[in-house]
Structures are given as C-alpha cells and as structure tokens.
Amino acid sequence: MTAPGRRSSTFTRLLRHGFTDASAAERLLDSAELAAVRDDPVLLEALGATADPDLALGGLVRLLEAQQAPTARRELLDTLIAAKPLRDRLLGVLGASAALGDHLARHAGDWQALVTYEPRDLHPGVEEFERGLADATDPVSLRVAYRRCLLSIAARDVCGTITVAETAAELADLATATLRAAHRLATSAAPDDAALCRLAVIAMGKCGGHELNYVSDVDVIFVGEAADGADEGKALRAATRLASHLMRICSETTVEGSIWPVDANLRPEGRNGPLVRTLSSHVAYYQRWAKTWEFQALLKARPVAGDRALGEEYVAALHPLVWQAAERENFVADVQKMRRRVVENIPVAEVERELKLGPGGLRDVEFAVQLLQLVHGRADASLRSGTTLDALKALAAGGYVGRADAVQLDEAYRFLRSMEHRIQLHRLRRTHLVPEDEADLRRLGRSLGLRTEPVAELTREWRRNAGVVRRLHEKIFYRPLLDAVAQLAPGEARLSPEAARERLVALGYADPAAALRHLEALASGVTRKAAIQRTLLPVLLGWFADSADPDAGLLNFRKVSDALGKTPWYLRLLRDEGAAAENLARVLSAGRLAPDLLLRAPEAVALLGDGDGGGLEPRERAHLEQEILAAVGRADNAEQAVTAARGVRRRELFRTAAADIVGSYGTEEQPAEADQGALVDLVGSAVSDLTAATLAGTLRAVVDAGWGEELPTRFAVIGMGRFGGHELGYGSDADVLFVHEPREGVDEREAGQAANRVVAEMRRLLQIPSADPPLLIDADLRPEGKTGPLVRTLTSYEAYYRRWSLVWESQALLRAEPVAGDAELGRRFVGLVDPLRYPARGLDEDAVREIRRLKARMESERLPRGADPKLHTKLGPGGLSDVEWTVQLLQMRHGATEPGLRTTRTRQALAAAREAGLVSEEDASVLDEAWVLATRVRNAVMLVRGRAGDTFPSDPRELAAVGRYLGYGPGHVGDMLDAYRRTARRARGVVETLFYGM
C-alpha cells in the first residue's frame, strides 16, 4: 500500500508515458479485465505511444468488457501482448478515434480485422473493399461492414504505414466499393426498375479525385439511359427511384448511424435540376449553360458504380469540354471571382480555425492547381489528373509551377490534410475546424508525431504551413511567367510563350503580349534590381489581377519603376515594408487619377509605406497651410511660389486618393472600410482643407509680389457650395466669394482695384499649364452672378443682400464659410449672412414654393440630354441635389431655433435634423445612405476616368473598376446599378414627403 501523500511508482510511470489523468488510468489498469497484463511493460509502452493514452486505455477496457467469453478476452490479451503489429494498430486506433472505439465496443469481434498483416493488406483497393462489404444485405449491415473496413484504413494511417495521400485514396476506394454495394442493394430491392434502365454513378469532388476525407459528403452525378426497348420517360423515372434509394442507403441514420451524405448538387441546375439525366441531356447542358466552376468540378469526374460502360461514355463525352472552358467568354471574370477567397460565410470567430476555407487553407491549394489545369490542360494532357498532389507534380514537371514552390506546397498540403484527417477521425464527424480545447489539441499534436510540447508545436507547424500556402497561393500563378521571360536557369522546364500568354489571358490581362514585354523589361538580367523585381512581381501581378484593369496596373508599375529605378530606397521600400507593395498595386490598377498624380512626381510612392513618409493619413489643414506658406516664402517670385503650392496640392491629392482606394479595396491584412460614410468624409475634408491651404498660399504669393507685406485692403475668400461644406470631390471646382474692406485712409477705388488684381492673378497662377492639376476658381454664386463684380466690399454685400437678395441666394449662403485671407473679415461676413440663411421666423409659404419651383425647374432643364435620370448622381431622383435641397430647406426653416442645423456640412445638418425630431430615424438613414453612395460614385468616376462625371461610365472596364471601388466583384456590375437605383428610389420617396410635401 502506498503511504498517504506519496504517489505510487505506477502513477509516476503513467505520467511519464503521456497519461493526463494518471489516477483514472491507474484504476483502469487495476480492473479485472487487465489483471493479467497490468504489470507488462510492453502494454504501457504501447499505450504511451498513442495520440491519447487515456483514450486508448479506456477504449481497450471497454473492448475487453465487450468480449462475451473469458476465452475471447484471453485471446485478445495474448494477441495484443505477443503481436506488435496488432498492438500498434489496435491501440493506435483506440488512442486516435473515440468513434471507432465505440464501434469496437459494439462489435467486439471486429478487432480481428487488424490481426492479419499480409502484403495485400498494406494497400487494399476497391476489390478488397468490395469483398469486405459483400455480406451486407441491408443499410445496417452495410454500415457495420463499412466501419470494419474503415478500421483497417485508420489503423494503417495512425501507424504511419501509409501516407496521407494513400489514406485519402483508400478512403475514396472504400467509398467506391460502398456506392457499388448501395447500388446492389437498391437494384435488388427494385428489380423491375433495374430492368427498365441503365444507371451510372459518377463520383465528383474529393471522391472522384481519389483524395477523400474520413468524413465528407460524397459528391456524385447520376446518368441514366433506357434499357433496350424501354420507354425513355419510364426509364428515367425508374433510374431516379434507384438513385434516390442509393442515396438513402448511404445517408440515412440507422441504429448504426449513417455512412456519409451522398450529395448530388453538382449536377446540372443543382438541386433544382432532375436527379438523373440522359447522357445527351448532360452534354447539351454543359455545351450551352454550364458555368466555369462546373467545368472545374468535372476535372474530378470518374465513373464508380452502376453501368460502367455508360459511365465511361459520360467521361469521354464531357472531358473534352473541360479543356475548352478557358476559351469561354466569361472565363476571365469567373476566374477573378473564384480567385477571391470566399470567407464571408465563415463566422468571424471561426475564420482563423478553418483548415479548408480560411486564408492559407486547403482550398487555396486545390483551387490554384485546378485553375492552372484548366488554363494549360488544353495543350498538355499530362496535367489532367483529378488528384491534387498528382496534378501539382505534373505542373511542376512541365514548368507551369516553379519546382521549389511545388515542393513547399506539396509539403504544406500534406500537413494540413493530415490535420484534417486526424480531427475528423476522433469523432467521425465532418468538420474542418481546428479544435480549441487543450486536450483535443494535445491529442491532435501527438497524433502527428509532435510529442515534446504537442500544443505549442502543433500551433507553430499549422501556422507555418498555412503561411506557406497563403504566400505561394498567388505566386505560383506568376513566378513561372517571370522565369519564362528572364531565362536565368538554362535547361529548366519553363512556360512556352503560348502558355504564358494563355495564363495571362486567364488571369484578366487583355494584352498579354504587352504584359510579357513589361515583365521582361522589369525582371530580365542579373542585376540586384532585377532580382528584387523577380521577388516582388509574383505578388504584385496577383494584386493587379484583382483589379478591373490589370494591364494598366502593370504598365503603371513599369513607368514608376523606370522613373525610380536608380533610387536606392524605392525597391527596398516595396520589399521590406509589407504595406507599401500592396498599396502601390491597388493604387496603380484602380484607375487613371492616382497613377497620373504619382507619375508626375514618382517619389510620392514613399507615402505608401509605414515609415517616415507620413503614411496615408490626410494631414491637418494647419500643417498644410504652414508647409505651403513656408514654400511661398522661399520662392523668388509669385509663379515659383504658386508652383510650389500646387506641387504640395498634387502630392496631398495623391495621398488622399491612395487612402481612399486602399480603404475601399482593403488589403490582405486590413479589410475594406465598412463605413462608406467615413471614406466620403475623409475625401471631402481632405480635399477641402487642401484647397483652402492652396488658396491661402496663392493669396500670400500674390500679395507679396504686388504689395509686399500688406494689401491696401483687407481681403477674405469665402468657400461656397461643396467647398464651404467640406465636401469637395477630386474633380470639384472651388466655389468662392471674394470680399474686401479698404484699410484706414485708403481710397475705396484704389482698394477695389487692388482686390480685383489679386483675384485675377490668383486665378491665372492656379491655371498655368504645368505638370500639376489646375485649381479652377468659380465665383458664379456671387451677387448678380456672372454679370456682377468679382469682388465686393462687405458694405456692398450688405446693401445688396438687404435690398435685392433672392431666396436661392440665401439658400446658397448656407454653405458659406471663410477659407482664406483675413479671418476677422471672414467672421464679419458670416455674421452678415447668418440672418439671411437662418431667418428668425423661418420661411414663409411663398419662399418655400419658390424653392420648390426652382428645384423642379432645375430637374427638368439641367439634366444632360440622353442621360439616364435614375443613374445621374447629381440631378437624378434620389441624387445629391434631392438630398441637399431637402436638408437645406430644413436648415432655412428651423436653423434659427435649432443651433445644430447651423452647419455647412450636409451630413451634420441631417444628423442634427434627426436629433431635433424634424426627420425620423429611418428617413434620415435613407437620405444619408443615398447621399453617401452618390458621392462615392462621383469620386469613383473621377478616380477611374481621371475626369469628373455625374453618372456611371459606359465603358465596361471603367464600369467594372467603379464596381470594384464600391465593393462589387467581377460579374456584379448589374448588382451595383440595381443597388444604386434601389437606394436612390427610396431616397426620392423621402424627398417627395419632406421637400415637396406630397
């Protein structure tokens, strides 16, 4: 007896052998069932070698308890101790699979299936499994026989007798034998139906590809034909009944559980299509209606059960169509859609645990291999394997994938599949999630041979292999293209020019010949620069292909690289700062505006990094103004000064555009900005602040050049329209008013002449042709419009507004805000116009009618001829004008009593109206959504086309680029337009109620 407080030697040995609950294990070893072998060191060593010694010991005791006779128990124990193969197999299974332990406890004699150890047992095929299932006479006995066969596969797997690829192949062979057995049972149950038809079962997916999991849906397609002399309609109905019965035999839950679901949803038209079709019907569907993913699925089609000849005819008829898929009209768009990882449907909490669909998961490898097969398998029959690892090996042998990349992917895929197998084996449940429980992770790690620190080692290896897949998933498409043009390793297999062209076309490049020339110029040679480019380009090309215009992205990258190629920091920035390269790829392929701004001063690429360039965060107005005024002060004359100011403006426009693009597209590390309003506010505030700072610098330059320190009149610039509302877009003019006030002792005429000279010179300097975009000043909102004086004194403004002001002018003044010049004069101007824009008694009915009349006239007269009103973002129903006039009417009616409405910003005013109860929560949300979307569309059009526009582009590629900016993937332009119409229609309904009072 062990002294109190001291552990027995058995307890200590159990801990040393990997048991986690040594007390429970000690009790089990002391049980009557193990009395004869409890002290046998062989047993303890064998248990300690399993994935979960506690689970293995518990399963062994249950198995011994299940033996009906003492002689049977003795036979099991004797064989277990004497025969190492059985010991390793049986205990290995019991330590890895609670589900198979349950099976053995229910079917106590099945352990005998692990005793034989002949060469043919090492790699059984379909025939051996068919023999194992031959005695099954109903679904229940079929399940028992299936699990007995599964037991032998699992035993070889956990003992390392077979590789993960061989395990997957054996599981597929067992599934084949099971489908044949189920077909046999179904036809035996309905001989009349069987006599009417020929039915072939085609395996798809992992079963068809000879790479099945332990627990997986078995994807199939059924083909039926009438037997000789039978009516086709009757025959198809009979075949459908047989196919349905076959599926139930495998899928339905019985006292022995189910085998696996049989899934026929890969058939033509999916679950909406007939379960069984004739061969001619299949062919007609694939020739006319099938989508790219359906041909991708056919890569793995393989006849497995039923009428073998009909199955072979099916494959012979459809396989040629698989290799024509890359020639289809929508192939490129479909590929772009499929290349994006589909993780939206994975719960956020599970994304990082997903072995199959998560980033760096199994699907990444499988998709990449299948895509390359579709592109290159047309001309190279060696690539047409349905098995992922065999196809990857063939791709490497043919030069379609780099050999080193293929080896890394192969190793990573095998590790991830091994994890998936062992996770599923434990409970025989269909899952691809890495467990969170410490005990589950420990068992999983030990089952993979990680014994020192199983959990830490498993996590490390899993992340490493997932990282390999994630890193290489895109590179394997592009690295061979560089090898083909660089030709640095003579004798190595590489892509032919035709194969390179096919791959670029498949990945969305419209001009593959030009793309190859760019790649050759960038990556050829033995210089350090070329070597870095060869490292960067495989990833960059993938990011370009993720855009609507990959060709433009690559061309722009070549131009930037040519301009900066000799600077020491450029390629180092892209190589060493993770964000810089991806940000640059997004910016260069998103349209014309940002690349044009960058190419005028390529050194601005430094802004895209994480270091000292300032990043993409827009700078505050005070800092911008300080930099511009300092540059103006250093200049020799006004033209030099304004050139410097415009240079700062160009750089900051690029910074803003880049931040907008990156925020809209998202990156691999940072998803796209979900709050579209935040992106609109970012652009509006940044461009407005930048315009104000530029005007301040230009005003200083003009005054310094013409008058020295002081102008003979105080002078202020008042922002109007979108400028005053902090809502400027990339292509907006600067709407302004100019106000001045003569200084003491200065003649009013002299002051007026000076003010007019300032305005004329500012406008001239800001529009001088140069590499920098012009800044157009629009003063048409001034009193008397284009016929009135450009500049007025504050007194003149006061007299005009008191005597002549119309209601539309009061409405325009809602956006008035000082932006440059004399701050005190600006404040006094605001004090002057506040009573006009926020009348103390609100608006009378005549004023309201006049505003409504003006709005209706604008809608009918100003909409461009031929434009679709429903898609016009400014003047169309539910567009910017609708929302802004509605908000401005509320401001003029209630601004005097509701301080929150006294703002020049549309969204702030709308929020204040909601807070004041003037607009319902729902209506405010509808109006805000419409205004934000319309503004986003206008910004997108400017970014994509490089010139302003109020409606969607007609060019398909430009329209697709607008869609990408707004978050719509390839092929979803129609969805984008429908969403805009729907949003605008809802907003128009609110406008008709709030503005028109309908």
Side-chain angles (χ1 to χ4, degrees), residues 343-358:
V343 296
E344 293 89 40
N345 295 327
I346 306 175
V348 175
E350 295 180 357
V351 170
E352 294 301 319
R353 296 166 51 217
E354 253 284 350
L355 275 175
K356 181 179 179 181
L357 300 177

Side-chain angles (χ1 to χ4, degrees), residues 207-473:
C207 183
H210 240 76
E211 50 190 16
L212 198 60
N213 300 329
Y214 276 102
V215 187
S216 175
D217 290 358
V218 171
D219 296 309
V220 300
I221 285 177
F222 295 106
V223 192
E225 294 288 350
D228 291 341
D231 175 76
E232 184 176 285
K234 291 181 179 178
L236 283 178
R237 287 192 290 276
T240 300
R241 288 191 292 271
L242 289 174
S244 298
H245 191 192
L246 181 154
M247 294 174 71
R248 290 196 303 274
I249 288 171
C250 297
S251 304
E252 285 184 346
T253 301
T254 70
V255 292
E256 286 291 338
S258 66
I259 301 177
W260 18 246
V262 176
D263 189 341
N265 288 336
L266 291 178
R267 66 186 184 270
E269 299 180 76
R271 65 184 61 199
N272 296 320
L275 183 62
V276 183
R277 287 175 183 258
T278 62
L279 178 55
S280 60
S281 176
H282 276 284
V283 172
Y285 174 85
Y286 282 102
Q287 286 177 333
R288 190 171 183 186
W289 303 111
K291 297 179 174 63
T292 299
W293 70 263
E294 293 179 280
F295 292 106
Q296 184 181 2
L298 282 175
L299 279 168
K300 297 182 179 294
R302 169 174 77 91
V304 292
D307 192 301
R308 176 57 66 91
L310 180 56
E312 297 291 353
E313 288 177 46
Y314 173 91
V315 171
L318 291 181
H319 261 210
L321 300 180
V322 173
W323 311 113
Q324 297 167 16
E327 300 168 7
R328 292 163 56 87
E329 181 180 349
N330 294 322
F331 181 73
V332 172
D334 289 344
V335 165
Q336 286 182 315
K337 256 190 297 192
M338 293 189 299
R339 276 183 56 249
R340 290 192 182 83
R341 298 186 184 94
V342 184
V343 296
E344 293 89 40
N345 295 327
I346 306 175
V348 175
E350 295 180 357
V351 170
E352 294 301 319
R353 296 166 51 217
E354 253 284 350
L355 275 175
K356 181 179 179 181
L357 300 177
L362 294 162
R363 179 61 58 83
D364 279 356
V365 181
E366 292 159 1
F367 169 79
V369 168
Q370 290 163 22
L371 175 56
L372 292 177
Q373 286 180 278
L374 287 177
V375 173
H376 300 298
R378 288 181 292 175
D380 190 342
S382 70
L383 305 180
R384 298 179 182 179
S385 171
T387 306
T388 300
L389 292 178
D390 290 348
L392 179 59
K393 185 177 179 181
L395 286 165
Y400 304 101
V401 172
R403 290 181 184 275
D405 290 347
V407 168
Q408 287 189 66
L409 271 183
D410 181 281
E411 292 174 353
Y413 186 77
R414 288 174 186 271
F415 182 83
L416 296 174
R417 281 302 300 272
S418 296
M419 282 185 68
E420 182 184 44
H421 278 185
R422 301 300 165 80
I423 290 169
Q424 292 184 350
L425 181 59
H426 181 226
R427 296 284 183 192
L428 287 183
R429 290 177 183 163
R430 183 175 181 268
T431 179
H432 308 286
L433 289 179
V434 177
E436 296 179 289
D437 182 74
E438 184 88 6
D440 289 334
L441 289 170
R442 181 176 183 274
R443 181 187 58 257
L444 179 58
R446 285 174 59 90
S447 75
L448 296 170
L450 308 172
R451 297 300 174 92
T452 307
E453 294 182 10
V455 176
E457 292 177 63
L458 172 68
T459 303
R460 186 166 56 248
E461 282 301 298
W462 168 36
R463 297 300 184 195
R464 184 183 68 80
N465 282 284
V468 168
V469 172
R470 194 170 184 175
R471 188 175 69 252
L472 293 180
H473 172 243

